Structure formats: structure tokens, C-alpha cells
Amino acid sequence: MRIVLVHAVNIAMAPIHSAFARQWPEAELVNLLDDALGRDRDNQDIPQQALDERIASLGRHALSCGADAVLYTCSAFGPAIEQVASQSRIPVYKPNEAMFEAALEYGDRIGMIGTFSPAMQSMHAEFEALSRARNRGASLEIRCLPEANQALREGDEVKHNHLICDALPSLAHCDVILLAHFSTATALDNARRDSACPVLSSPEAAVIALRRVLTQLGSESSARENSLEFSSLSNTH
């Protein structure tokens, strides 16, 4: 299976590659990167429509690469990714949707630690929409740590992970804690060690969901081909 990964920041790339290596090493990965998207998301002079078109353009490029599925790794562009998914003939995943789905299996009190402020509002809206769609009254309690994002951008992963783990006790009353972005997954092992409740990351959840969906689609396709072949053989007799 060929999975095209669409990145808006460099720091999201290592965590998703690590998740594939652990959960689905056989997958073929293709990387598309527009590393100005993250910066331009904060630039008020750039219209949202222009950013949305760049997201769509990357989706079209992914299709031209022969993708079996597309996974966007930046959590700040949810609505634009939804538009791409609605027009695609293959699975297109937002960074967080698999993690949000998995979180609801633990309960209705969900905590989330993020580090990129512009993404928090749209992620909260995505979670609430999912909760309503599932007829759940789930709540999402957020801690945003922009200083951790800055540390990671400066290459200080140890400080980044330490700051995230320091925030865990404030969400200990939750049923599960989410690490909001692909980049925050660098703290996953430490967070699971230090947390009093389960911790999920978006890269790991996304890979598990993609593998399950594409395996199912492959099985259904094989079943249809076998059925057609059987029908063809039957018609020759």
C-alpha cells in the first residue's frame, strides 16, 4: 500500500515515520512537504482561501502519485482537509480523527495537551462534531503549551517532552489524555510512563486506523474480483 503523507512542518515527519515503523512497516510512504504552511497560518495577510487551495493542491498531487490513501499530518487545517476528503475516491485522513475516535472508547472525559495554539480551536470543534455525531456528551479539556513547541523547533526535544509530562497531572481526572499533534508524539513513551491514565498519540492512532481500513478495502476488492471471476467462469458453461 502506498500512503502519501502531507506535511506542513518538518517536526511532524519523524513521529509519523516512527509510528509506521512500529505499526505498519510494510507500507510504502511518500512525503509531500509545504513547510511554509505552518508559518503562513499565522499570517493575517494571507487569506484562508489561499491556504485551503494549497491543501487541496497537495491532495491532488498525492493522487497523482498513485496513493492508496492520504494522511495529512498538520492539525491546523481540518476544514480544508475535510473538503479534500469529500472529493476523493480514496481514504483521506485528518491528523486527529482516528485519535478522537479511539479516545471515545475510553470514556467521555477527554484531556488533550497541545503545543500549537492556532490548531486548538479547530481541533476542539472537530472533537465536538464527532461527539455529537456519535450521540455522546463527551468533553475535551485542553492544555496548550506553546513553549514546548518553541523548544522542539529549537531542537530541544528533552525540554519539549519534559514540559508535556509536567502538564499530565492537571488532566489526571480524565479517562484518557491525547497528545494533540504529530510533533507532540515524541513525548509519548515518557507520557505513558508518567501518566495516571491512558495516553494516545495522533500518529499511532492514524496508522492503526489506516491499516485497518485499507486492509478491509483490499479484502472487499479481492472478494469482488473473485465473485466476478466465478461469474465469468459460470457463464462459459
Side-chain angles (χ1 to χ4, degrees):
M1 291 290 183
R2 171 172 284 190
I3 314 298
V4 176
L5 307 172
V6 180
H7 311 284
V9 290
N10 285 288
I11 56 177
M13 297 178 73
I16 186 58
H17 279 262
S18 177
F20 268 102
R22 286 183 291 180
Q23 300 292 339
W24 195 6
E26 303 85 5
E28 178 191 0
L29 305 181
V30 177
N31 296 279
L32 302 181
L33 171 65
D34 178 350
D35 63 358
L37 273 169
R39 299 191 300 275
D40 292 347
R41 176 70 170 74
D42 289 333
N43 188 338
Q44 300 300 316
D45 294 329
I46 299 178
Q48 184 62 46
Q49 184 178 357
L51 297 175
D52 292 350
E53 173 52 32
R54 283 159 66 182
I55 291 292
S57 177
L58 288 165
R60 291 191 292 270
H61 190 162
L63 288 175
S64 75
C65 294
D68 293 296
V70 179
L71 174 61
Y72 286 81
T73 67
C74 182
S75 50
F77 301 97
I81 299 169
E82 288 175 4
Q83 185 65 23
V84 173
S86 71
Q87 300 173 355
S88 176
R89 65 180 186 275
I90 62 172
V92 175
Y93 270 67
K94 292 180 292 184
N96 317 296
E97 60 182 296
M99 180 176 66
F100 287 162
E101 290 275 10
L104 292 178
E105 297 178 8
Y106 288 86
D108 289 334
R109 297 176 305 169
I110 314 299
M112 184 167 73
I113 299 174
T115 64
F116 186 51
S117 302
M120 294 295 96
Q121 184 174 356
S122 63
M123 290 181 70
H124 193 271
E126 288 173 29
F127 179 84
E128 288 190 330
L130 176 64
S131 178
R132 289 193 299 270
R134 299 291 180 269
N135 294 316
R136 299 281 291 272
S139 63
L140 183 66
E141 188 174 343
I142 293 174
R143 301 286 182 271
C144 188
L145 311 172
E147 63 274 23
N149 180 272
Q150 184 62 33
L152 195 60
R153 289 180 179 275
E154 293 173 355
D156 194 343
E157 184 177 312
V158 172
K159 181 179 179 180
H160 168 270
N161 295 352
H162 182 74
L163 288 167
I164 287 175
C165 289
D166 279 352
L168 292 171
S170 70
L171 296 171
H173 56 282
C174 295
D175 297 311
V176 63
I177 296 175
L178 313 181
L179 302 184
H181 322 297
F182 277 46
S183 59
T184 50
T186 61
L188 179 61
D189 291 339
N190 290 346
R192 283 179 170 166
R193 181 197 64 207
D194 295 348
S195 177
C197 59
V199 179
L200 303 181
S201 76
S202 46
E204 185 176 67
V207 174
I208 291 171
L210 272 173
R211 184 170 189 172
R212 182 176 64 248
V213 166
L214 289 178
T215 299
Q216 181 179 351
L217 287 174
S219 298
E220 291 173 354
S221 176
S222 178
R224 285 194 298 270
E225 290 172 2
N226 289 339
S227 177
L228 288 171
E229 183 178 354
F230 177 78
S231 176
S232 176
L233 288 170
S234 297
N235 290 335
T236 62
H237 291 84

